[in-house]
Amino acid sequence: MSTSPVSSAEGAVIGKDGLAALVDVLRARGYMVIGPTVRDGAIVLDELESAAQLPYGWGVELEAGRYRLRSRTDGAAFANAAGPQSWKTFLHPARVRQWRAERAAGELAIEADDTTPARYAFLGVRSCDLRAIAVQDRVLTAGPHTDPVYRGRRSGAFLVAVECTEPGGTCFCVSMGTGPAAGPGYDLVLTELADAGGHRFWIRDGSPEGAEILAQLPAVPASAAVRGAAVAAVASAADRMGRTMPETDLQRLMAETLDAPRWDDVASRCLTCGNCTMVCPTCFCTTTEDITDLTGDHAERWRIWDNCFDLDFSYLPGGPVRPSSRSRYRQWLTHKLGTWYDQFGSSGCVGCGRCIVWCPVAIDITEEAAALHDWTTHREEEPS
Ligand code: SF4
Ligand code: SF4
């Protein structure tokens, strides 16, 4: 493929060599490229030194409480839905040291941890995760008190989105209005085609830097046929979502079902392990942990992920505010689908399905919402 001028709106087509060049160009510009790769029987996000590390030829089978890799014959790199990690692993890390203190000769020296974060380029951001990043942007940087850790990692990040053409059995971005086509917020966006026409990527820019980088890739203008095939592939993905949310006002549903017996039912299954919050791309809660060594001369303060399933999370003088599993699961779901709107103006769920896959007892957020919806529907139908 030769490099040719490209129309920004219609985009360009690159091949595997173009994808390899994209990783090289990003690295040459000083970015640490993070993208999907196969490790430990899963597609994880990790630093990529070259595009050869992408999961070419790997897909996934996703079900409640189940994740399996499966090989593909088409060699596609991005025909696999959400893995166990999301981009919050890098933007809002699970553990951050905030400061350390040393005591020597009776003097105490406190040193803030102000390590300069890497400049990240995220390759393969799905539409649901693009929305999740926008949600965390609002939560962690839009208010009067911004999170310096998140801001420092997010502000220089370059996002390469990939539209979904192969949804998983637990995906429901269509129900949440978050995919599978990529919304705004990306610097570049790819749609992968691996069919009789060959293995290629329709690529468009979404920012001036994206346009600059696109101009450096071996690309040809996108024909109407390629654009049509890519749009059709994404539309087909929208029709093949593995899960759906009930078609109702979820915020209202959460507010009207606080006394539903379903909360006892789900509490009898929930282990309150918090896995669902760890994998969720929008959950953001943290706690503070102070540690000292045995001499007492060295201390550190760490910020670590926490979650509403942890009994200590709502501990106030006198005890925890949510002592039962019922109250903790209900807090999580009603916040995600209901009170998140009051706080941040959007849903806290983007329909990625990770909490369904990684729940050890296969609790399914769409099934729980549907059960609550059924309960309200039948309650309204009962004669008074
Ligand atoms: S819903 Fe599942 S993943 Fe979440 S806390 Fe309960 S058992 Fe753990
Ligand atoms: S609640 Fe579940 S489906 Fe929704 S964004 Fe979080 S992990 Fe994804």
Side-chain angles (χ1 to χ4, degrees), residues 319-340:
V321 170
R322 300 184 200 103
S324 66
S325 307
R326 178 187 195 274
S327 61
R328 299 210 287 285
Y329 185 87
R330 189 180 68 176
Q331 161 64 22
W332 181 70
L333 194 67
T334 55
H335 189 213
K336 278 282 149 205
L337 301 179
T339 49
W340 204 290

Side-chain angles (χ1 to χ4, degrees), residues 31-308:
Y31 286 107
M32 176 188 283
V33 180
I34 307 291
T37 191
V38 174
R39 196 181 66 217
D40 301 331
I43 295 178
V44 300
L45 299 176
D46 206 346
E47 182 176 2
L48 301 181
E49 290 176 357
S50 86
Q53 293 167 267
L54 288 166
Y56 285 112
W58 288 104
V60 289
E61 285 173 10
L62 305 180
E63 255 317 320
R66 182 184 159 84
Y67 178 102
R68 292 287 183 279
L69 286 181
R70 72 177 172 85
S71 62
R72 300 179 59 90
T73 53
D74 60 6
F78 299 108
N80 36 68
Q85 297 154 298
S86 69
W87 306 95
K88 87 171 179 185
T89 308
F90 301 93
L91 296 176
H92 181 53
R95 293 181 66 79
V96 177
R97 186 170 60 202
Q98 296 184 300
W99 51 255
R100 64 176 140 191
E102 299 289 343
R103 184 169 55 194
E107 295 291 321
L108 192 65
I110 298 178
E111 190 188 325
D113 204 298
D114 50 7
T115 318
T116 306
R119 279 176 75 217
Y120 289 121
F122 295 154
L123 172 57
V125 183
R126 303 316 174 112
S127 53
C128 59
D129 281 344
L130 207 51
R131 287 295 191 95
I133 290 172
V135 167
Q136 288 215 320
D137 286 352
R138 271 198 300 282
V139 172
L140 297 168
T141 64
H145 306 289
T146 64
D147 174 10
V149 176
Y150 183 88
R151 195 180 58 232
R153 289 161 172 259
R154 174 72 177 97
S155 59
F158 185 93
L159 305 186
V160 183
V162 173
E163 297 190 297
C164 274
T165 52
E166 191 74 31
T170 48
C171 291
F172 56 100
C173 63
V174 169
S175 290
M176 304 313 291
T178 58
Y186 56 77
D187 294 286
L188 287 169
V189 59
L190 304 169
T191 314
E192 183 174 34
L193 291 168
D195 54 22
H199 192 180
R200 62 232 188 271
F201 304 85
W202 181 32
I203 181 168
R204 291 86 74 203
D205 61 75
S207 70
E209 191 180 7
E212 262 178 44
I213 289 176
L214 176 49
Q216 290 182 258
L217 305 181
V220 296
S223 66
V226 166
R227 298 196 309 269
V231 169
V234 176
S236 159
D239 291 337
R240 288 181 284 122
M241 290 288 126
R243 293 289 198 277
T244 53
M245 272 289 185
E247 286 184 25
T248 188
D249 179 341
L250 293 170
Q251 185 184 14
R252 191 166 158 220
L253 178 68
M254 292 300 114
E256 291 181 345
T257 54
L258 294 176
D259 55 351
R262 183 72 182 189
W263 301 116
D264 291 316
D265 182 287
V266 70
S268 71
R269 290 172 280 133
C270 177
L271 308 174
T272 67
C273 65
N275 263 16
C276 46
T277 70
M278 301 292 127
V279 296
C280 179
T282 65
C283 278
F284 57 86
C285 290
T286 57
T287 189
T288 302
E289 191 176 82
D290 289 338
I291 52 171
T292 57
D293 66 7
L294 289 176
T295 66
D297 289 334
H298 176 85
E300 296 186 349
R301 170 161 291 181
W302 287 78
R303 187 179 81 179
I304 58 176
W305 285 352
D306 200 356
N307 67 82
C308 44

